[in-house]
């Protein structure tokens, strides 16, 4: 087996391993979505984005949920353009 084939096989194994859930907090959400906190809270209220209250003062989103939300918004934008 060539070195390239070995590397590709290792990469495939790494990509298929389940990643542990990761939380994204409001400052990072704001940065990744280019939105202010008030707009993020509107997404929570509308149900477009699911929040998790860790404590009364700490709200987070699962990174996987955020990634799906972004992918959905990109797909919607592409449909409008097409």
């Amino acid at each position: 087996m060539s070195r390239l084939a070995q590397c590709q096989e290792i990469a495939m194994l790494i990509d298929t391993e389940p990643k542990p859930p990761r939380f994204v907090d409001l400052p990072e959400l704001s940065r990744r979505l280019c939105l202010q906190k008030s707009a993020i809270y509107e997404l929570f209220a509308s149900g477009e984005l699911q929040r998790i209250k860790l404590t009364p003062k700490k709200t987070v989103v699962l990174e996987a949920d955020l990634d799906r939300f972004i992918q959905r918004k990109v797909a919607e934008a592409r449909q409008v353009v097409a």
Side-chain angles (χ1 to χ4, degrees), residues 48-75:
E48 285 193 77
L49 200 54
Q50 175 94 27
R51 72 178 171 178
I52 299 170
K53 294 283 285 180
L54 294 180
T55 68
K57 294 185 178 185
K58 187 67 169 180
T59 298
V60 297
V61 171
L62 283 174
E63 186 173 44
D65 291 345
L66 175 60
D67 292 341
R68 280 190 292 275
F69 172 80
I70 292 170
Q71 289 171 353
R72 188 172 62 244
K73 288 299 181 181
V74 169

Side-chain angles (χ1 to χ4, degrees), residues 3-4 8 12 19 22 27 29 32-33 37 39 44-46 51 57 61 63 65-67 70-72 79 81:
R3 180 89 171 133
L4 177 61
Q8 289 173 335
M12 287 177 48
K19 296 178 184 173
R22 182 176 176 277
L29 274 173
R32 287 181 63 179
L33 295 175
K37 284 197 315 187
F44 294 153
S46 71
R51 72 178 171 178
K57 294 185 178 185
V61 171
E63 186 173 44
D65 291 345
L66 175 60
D67 292 341
I70 292 170
Q71 289 171 353
R72 188 172 62 244
Q79 286 178 354
V81 173

Side-chain angles (χ1 to χ4, degrees), residues 13-24:
L13 289 173
I14 292 171
D15 288 342
T16 58
E17 289 181 17
K19 296 178 184 173
R22 182 176 176 277
F23 291 139
V24 178

